[in-house]
């Protein structure tokens, strides 16, 4: 033990006192220098605070997939973020309706986006965000199109004490067992989708059906499959006759489809996402499985209909966040779709809407809190205030940081019924959010500390 | 789930899957066997074949034209790549070759992404092969059946070129001892260029044959490259028959495992590779290296 060490024993009490005083003095100095903090002085440096918000511009780090199976969806998501940043900085009317206190920026600062390709891989995303923290002192992170990335960034955000605005993430775990104090989710997820689409399926197709599931092998796939299957078996008496689990990025689904062909299923519940979904839907048709078996997509995929064509999505039920024809019902949605289409020349899919809303909500929370100090911003989110969105009034649930919002059920239109080249889906139902969510602690959410 | 109908179906599906892997792998292994270059751009060539074929299809509406245009375009890319870049790397360390081909692969993928975006493109199968066929024990997409025939014909053609022509003889001799071939007055470097072109063409051809099955996107080559390497390692690096055998084994492992537990199909593929490496370090039909 060091206390019995000869050298230590040889030190005089006086030397120790001197050294101690010196140490204390030298430590006082930099602390007071690097953290001017707030007027009250009770906000010590935390994460990138206050360094990240001292210049004219605050940075948000976005890691979106620009390559790989989720690249198409990632690009759409990124465009939503870029439009939101533009709107925040110009004090756009649409954004002001969600965040009334913004004025050409947030708290007098311009917002800028720094972007990296995550390829939908957690490691890539975390490494890029670390670089952004070092180089740009980002004050918030965003991006994810895979829940595996969202869960990784949740943990990273909590450790680094930097806000994380979850982009696309459908896993129950993101605000369930892997939730974080520093993370907030806007979009719908497995459990809400299951509870919204389940009744529609039972009503339209009846009870006691046999379903084959197609599941991508990670947190999103497994939790969505479980939620949907739980609903259909308990409420509809459906039976899961097979569950075909494939790795993210599968190209040839023939072996899975061969199993489904031999399973006696009447329905294919396809939980695959992004390019995996495009390919599995196309190949199910090649194998002659659809339309003999009905396809259901519990968690809808942006651009799916555009890529596979309306012939393959006709009559397919899907649960989603947002579809552009909702502009007929919600004025904010109309303003958004118009602005987006003007800038990018196509109507936004829900990834873009989700990303835009996340930024708009963030701008609202920061401007309402009147500070970038993360714990204060988090507490603003946790007030659970109701605010307007593109799908009506919504609010955050303080217990797990999940937005309470409606789930939209759509059904694929036949090619002949499409009024324009992007009129792929008909909105069948907009299901209010309150009844769709599990109890806050049902999936084991334990938010971490503020500091 | 595990009944005879499903077992037969999966065996058959494994054959179709394996044929394609064999074709792509043969290109990789011919280039490595002859030139000693581990071409990490091979997956990108597979992707290029798909896109070139798609463009040709878009203009002509003919699958046959797409097939020919796709293959020739990638062969041309292969030849140019060899002439302009790869030949300066023959005498450099293997790490340099790996880096330069890997880099070229990224350039190809990003160029295609720049011009065509990430949305996937579809080439429909020729009218003759549309629909599904009832095989008795299963129904199967007709085009996949046809692709088995197309791939078999292509592999046969490659075999004939390699084993029944003068060019093939020189190539095989080059694999054994390129210095000796050169000293016999044969322009080894011209042969090398041709070999690189043929290897690339095999990938490009496979790319367009596969396009009606799996619609194309800039990243399609990435996943297939990994499987191709596993096939080559199982079959024996540098061995053409090895690539064919390895491809079939890989296809069957992926298909049959998925009957029991789909999540393990790729795991089992790597387990098989490991077992082969332990039992026969040079692969099933490989010989003890070219050095």
């Amino acid at each position: 033990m060091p206390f019995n060490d000869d050298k230590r024993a040889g030190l005089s009490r006086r030397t120790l006192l001197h050294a101690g005083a010196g140490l204390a003095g030298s430590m006082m100095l930099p602390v007071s220098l690097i953290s001017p903090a707030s007027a009250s002085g009770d906000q010590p440096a935390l994460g990138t605070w206050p360094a990240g918000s001292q210049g004219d511009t605050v940075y948000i780090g976005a890691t979106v997939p620009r390559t790989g199976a989720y690249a198409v969806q990632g690009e759409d998501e990124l465009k939503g973020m870029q439009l939101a940043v533009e709107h925040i900085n110009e004090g756009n009317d649409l954004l002001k309706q969600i965040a009334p206190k913004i004025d050409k920026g947030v708290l007098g600062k311009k917002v800028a986006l720094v972007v990296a390709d995550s390829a939908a891989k957690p490691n890539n995303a975390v490494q890029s965000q670390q670089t952004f923290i070092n180089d740009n002192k980002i004050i918030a992170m965003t991006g994810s199109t895979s829940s595996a990335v969202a869960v990784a960034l949740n943990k990273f955000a909590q450790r680094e004490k930097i806000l994380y605005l979850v982009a696309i993430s459908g896993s129950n775990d993101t605000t369930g067992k892997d939730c974080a104090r520093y993370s907030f989710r806007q979009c719908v997820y497995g459990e809400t989708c299951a509870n919204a689409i389940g009744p529609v399926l039972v009503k339209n197709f009846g009870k006691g059906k046999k379903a084959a599931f197609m599941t991508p092998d990670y947190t999103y796939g497994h939790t969505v499959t479980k939620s949907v299957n739980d609903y259909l078996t308990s409420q509809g008496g459906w039976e899961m006759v097979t569950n075909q689990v494939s790795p993210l990025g599968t190209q040839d689904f023939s072996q899975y489809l061969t199993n489904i062909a031999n399973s006696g299923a009447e329905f294919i519940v396809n939980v695959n996402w992004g390019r995996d979904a495009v390919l599995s839907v196309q190949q199910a048709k090649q194998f002659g499985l659809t339309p003999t078996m009905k396809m259901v997509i519990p968690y809808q995929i942006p651009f799916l209909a555009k890529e596979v064509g309306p012939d393959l999505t006709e009559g397919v039920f899907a649960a989603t966040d947002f579809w552009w024809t909702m502009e007929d019902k919600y004025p904010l949605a109309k303003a958004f779709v118009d602005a987006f289409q003007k800038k990018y020349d196509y109507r936004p899919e829900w990834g873009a809407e989700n990303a835009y809303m996340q930024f708009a909500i963030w701008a609202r929370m920061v401007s309402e809190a009147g500070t970038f100090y993360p714990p204060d911003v988090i507490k603003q989110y946790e007030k659970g205030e109701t605010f307007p969105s593109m799908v009506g009034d919504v609010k955050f649930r303080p217990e797990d940081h999940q937005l309470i919002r409606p789930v939209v059920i759509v059904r694929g239109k036949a090619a002949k019924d499409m009024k324009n080249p992007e009129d792929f889906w008909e909105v069948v139902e907009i299901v209010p959010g309150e009844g769709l969510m599990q109890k806050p602690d049902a999936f084991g959410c334990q938010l971490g500390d503020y500091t | 789930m595990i009944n005879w109908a499903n077992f037969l179906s999966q065996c058959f599906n494994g054959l179709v899957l394996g044929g394609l892997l064999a074709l792509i792998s043969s290109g990789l292994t011919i280039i490595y066997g002859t030139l000693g270059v581990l071409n990490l751009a091979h997956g990108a060539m597979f992707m290029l074949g798909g896109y070139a074929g798609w463009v040709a299809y878009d203009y002509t509406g003919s699958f046959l034209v797409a097939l020919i245009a796709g293959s020739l375009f990638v062969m041309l890319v292969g030849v140019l790549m060899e002439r302009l870049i790869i030949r300066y790397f023959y005498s450099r360390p293997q790490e340099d070759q790996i880096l330069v081909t890997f880099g070229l692969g990224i350039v190809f993928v990003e160029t295609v992404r720049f011009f065509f975006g990430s949305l996937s493109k579809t080439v429909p199968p020729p009218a003759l092969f549309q629909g599904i066929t009832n095989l008795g024990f299963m129904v199967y997409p007709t085009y996949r059946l046809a692709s088995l025939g197309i791939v078999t014909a292509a592999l046969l053609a490659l075999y004939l070129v390699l084993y029944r022509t003068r060019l093939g003889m020189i190539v095989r001799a080059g694999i054994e001892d390129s210095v000796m071939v050169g000293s016999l007055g044969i322009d080894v470097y011209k042969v090398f260029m041709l070999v690189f072109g043929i290897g690339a063409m095999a990938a490009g051809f496979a790319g367009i044959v596969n396009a009606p099955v799996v619609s194309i996107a800039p990243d399609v080559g990435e996943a297939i490259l990994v499987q191709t390497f596993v096939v080559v390692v199982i079959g024996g690096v540098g061995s053409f028959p090895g690539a064919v055998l390895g491809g079939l084994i890989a296809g069957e492992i992926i298909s049959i495992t998925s009957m029991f537990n789909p999540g393990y199909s790729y795991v089992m593929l790597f387990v098989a590779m490991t077992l082969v490496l332990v039992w026969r370090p040079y692969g099933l039909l490989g010989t003890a290296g070219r050095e």
Side-chain angles (χ1 to χ4, degrees):
Chain A
M1 287 292 285
F3 293 111
N4 300 330
D5 194 288
D6 284 347
K7 282 179 192 162
R8 177 65 59 99
L11 282 171
S12 73
R13 186 169 166 275
R14 177 180 291 253
T15 324
L16 266 175
L17 277 174
H18 275 222
L23 262 175
S26 64
M27 280 176 73
M28 294 281 280
L29 196 64
V31 167
S32 58
L33 268 182
I34 56 164
S35 60
S38 64
S40 60
D42 59 354
Q43 296 173 343
L46 184 69
T48 52
W49 196 88
S53 47
Q54 281 171 337
D56 301 333
T57 307
V58 291
Y59 291 93
I60 299 181
T63 45
V64 297
R66 309 189 77 176
T67 58
Y70 293 169
V72 174
Q73 291 72 25
E75 271 321 297
D76 185 57
E77 185 174 271
L78 180 59
K79 288 188 170 78
M81 294 171 189
Q82 287 166 334
L83 184 68
V85 167
E86 199 179 298
H87 281 188
I88 292 173
N89 289 337
E90 70 184 27
N92 180 280
D93 280 345
L94 164 60
L95 216 127
K96 276 195 157 187
Q97 292 184 61
I98 302 163
K101 289 190 182 160
I102 61 149
D103 182 27
K104 302 210 169 169
V106 178
L107 303 181
K109 316 267 182 193
K110 292 283 181 204
V111 179
L113 198 60
V114 279
V115 184
D117 176 22
S118 70
K121 290 174 184 156
N123 278 353
N124 294 16
V126 169
Q127 277 169 18
S128 299
Q129 295 290 6
Q130 183 67 62
T131 308
F132 292 150
I133 292 172
N134 299 342
D135 295 356
N136 306 92
K137 302 276 179 287
I138 50 167
I139 58 161
M141 308 187 287
T142 187
S144 68
T145 302
S146 151
S147 289
V149 170
V151 165
L153 286 180
N154 267 3
K155 298 194 164 101
F156 182 67
Q158 188 65 31
R159 197 186 79 200
E160 296 294 321
K161 301 288 181 279
I162 292 173
L163 294 179
Y164 171 45
L165 318 173
V166 178
I168 293 173
S169 171
S171 171
N172 291 341
D173 293 343
T174 309
T175 48
K177 78 175 173 59
D178 295 317
C179 71
R181 181 69 67 186
Y182 275 76
S183 156
F184 303 89
R185 175 161 65 180
Q186 194 272 159
C187 65
V188 300
Y189 57 103
E191 182 74 6
T192 52
C193 288
N195 292 333
I197 202 169
V200 177
L201 297 180
V202 176
K203 191 175 92 188
N204 276 274
F205 300 119
K207 297 196 167 190
K209 301 291 177 187
K210 290 180 175 171
F213 281 70
M214 297 187 84
T215 306
D217 195 6
Y218 69 102
T219 175
Y220 155 75
H222 292 296
T223 61
V224 173
T225 291
K226 181 176 186 319
S227 286
V228 174
N229 187 48
D230 284 352
Y231 185 94
L232 289 176
T233 47
S234 67
Q235 306 298 314
W238 286 35
E239 182 197 351
M240 180 199 273
V241 289
T242 178
N243 183 18
Q244 296 295 312
V245 180
S246 53
L248 174 58
T250 296
Q251 311 221 16
D252 191 328
F253 285 86
S254 56
Q255 73 267 32
Y256 311 109
L257 294 166
T258 302
N259 286 337
I260 292 175
N262 286 290
S263 69
E266 302 159 276
F267 287 83
I268 299 176
V269 181
N270 194 345
V271 183
N272 282 303
W273 212 80
R275 188 169 149 75
D276 294 354
V278 170
L279 294 177
S280 56
V281 169
Q282 284 173 338
Q283 292 171 31
K285 165 88 175 170
Q286 285 171 15
F287 269 78
L289 298 185
T290 54
T292 318
M293 293 180 193
K294 287 252 182 282
M295 174 92 73
V296 175
I297 297 172
Y299 198 78
Q300 203 252 339
I301 305 100
F303 301 99
L304 174 75
K306 196 172 194 171
E307 289 193 83
V308 303
D311 291 347
L312 299 195
T313 48
E314 181 186 344
V316 171
F317 280 102
T320 188
D321 243 42
F322 178 80
W323 178 244
W324 67 265
T325 58
M326 290 165 71
E327 65 182 19
D328 300 339
K329 192 168 173 191
Y330 302 105
L332 289 189
K334 172 136 186 63
F336 170 67
V337 172
D338 288 349
F340 190 95
Q341 192 177 15
K342 195 167 161 228
K343 187 168 166 69
Y344 298 111
D345 211 25
Y346 70 90
R347 292 176 180 84
E349 299 256 350
W350 70 259
E353 184 263 355
N354 175 50
Y356 184 96
M357 274 308 300
Q358 277 288 56
F359 276 54
I361 297 169
W362 169 81
R364 177 189 171 91
M365 297 304 170
V366 173
S367 56
E368 295 287 336
T371 172
F372 288 106
Y373 181 60
D376 289 353
V377 179
I378 293 171
K379 282 170 188 156
Q380 184 66 38
Y381 273 92
E382 289 175 346
K383 280 182 185 167
E385 286 177 325
T386 300
F387 55 89
S389 84
M390 290 173 211
V391 292
D393 285 351
V394 293
K395 61 184 177 193
F396 268 99
R397 188 155 80 164
E399 296 92 337
D400 61 354
H401 293 187
Q402 172 66 45
L403 192 76
I404 303 175
R405 46 149 303 143
V407 175
V408 183
I409 306 295
V410 294
R411 179 171 48 201
K413 282 189 168 184
K416 64 178 169 51
D417 298 329
M418 288 169 57
K419 293 188 184 75
N420 66 50
E422 287 165 337
D423 189 21
F424 294 111
W425 304 95
E426 165 199 2
V427 174
V428 182
E429 217 176 315
I430 299 173
V431 190
E434 285 78 4
L436 303 176
M437 293 165 72
Q438 79 293 353
K439 288 203 171 62
D441 57 351
F443 292 137
C445 170
Q446 297 207 325
L447 297 167
D449 298 330
Y450 291 95
T451 56
Chain B
M1 280 302 281
I2 302 161
N3 53 42
W4 278 109
N6 199 25
F7 182 71
L8 275 176
S9 312
Q10 289 292 13
C11 287
F12 184 77
N13 189 56
L15 193 66
V16 178
L17 208 65
L20 186 81
L21 285 177
L23 183 58
I24 311 172
S25 308
S26 63
L28 188 74
T29 213
I30 290 169
I31 292 175
Y32 183 78
T34 316
L35 314 176
V37 175
L38 205 52
N39 181 19
L40 287 183
H42 201 67
M45 306 235 145
F46 171 80
M47 178 275 305
L48 279 181
Y51 271 91
W54 170 73
V55 171
Y57 180 84
D58 221 32
Y59 277 103
T60 63
S62 158
F63 187 75
L64 192 66
V65 173
L67 205 60
I68 295 167
S71 324
L72 289 183
F73 176 77
V74 180
M75 184 177 192
L76 183 71
V77 171
V79 166
L80 286 176
M81 189 173 147
E82 200 273 345
R83 279 292 93 172
L84 298 178
I85 297 164
I86 303 299
R87 66 177 169 141
Y88 301 107
F89 283 79
Y90 286 140
S91 53
R92 293 179 62 166
Q94 197 142 40
E95 302 84 69
D96 290 10
Q97 300 173 352
I98 289 175
L99 280 175
V100 75
T101 53
F102 186 71
L104 279 169
I106 295 175
V107 170
F108 292 151
V109 170
E110 292 310 315
T111 308
V112 165
R113 200 192 303 280
F114 177 79
F115 283 108
F116 302 110
S118 289
L119 282 178
S120 40
K121 311 287 183 197
T122 316
V123 179
L128 184 64
F129 300 133
Q130 271 167 10
I132 47 176
T133 303
N134 195 338
L135 295 174
F137 59 95
M138 70 180 297
V139 291
Y140 205 69
T142 311
Y143 179 75
R144 281 191 195 241
L145 276 176
S147 81
L148 183 62
I150 298 172
V151 165
T152 310
L155 283 171
L156 205 64
L158 263 181
Y159 171 82
L160 290 176
V161 169
L162 282 177
Y163 287 88
R164 293 285 181 272
T165 64
R166 187 178 151 75
L167 171 71
M169 197 171 69
I170 297 170
V171 170
R172 281 180 293 131
I175 295 178
E176 294 299 322
D177 192 340
S178 58
V179 178
M180 181 60 85
V181 175
S183 64
L184 288 173
I186 295 162
D187 186 350
V188 192
Y189 286 99
K190 204 167 268 175
V191 176
F192 282 1
M193 177 186 80
L194 215 57
V195 167
F196 207 93
I198 292 174
M201 187 175 74
F205 182 82
I208 178 68
V209 169
N210 199 40
V213 176
V214 175
S215 58
I216 45 177
D219 302 301
V220 286
E222 201 181 304
I224 213 96
L225 186 66
V226 177
Q227 292 172 35
T228 309
F229 269 93
V230 176
V231 166
V232 167
V233 169
I234 290 178
V237 176
S239 160
F240 175 73
V244 176
L245 181 66
L248 294 179
I249 291 175
E252 292 300 346
I253 289 174
I254 292 171
S255 267
I256 293 177
T257 310
S258 76
M259 199 167 55
F260 302 97
N261 188 335
Y264 282 91
S265 3
Y266 291 94
V267 177
M268 288 308 290
L269 188 60
F270 284 98
V271 168
M273 182 181 82
T274 312
L275 289 178
V276 167
L277 281 179
V278 170
W279 180 50
R280 286 185 66 99
Y282 299 107
L284 292 177
L285 299 178
T287 45
R290 57 194 296 283
E291 259 75 37

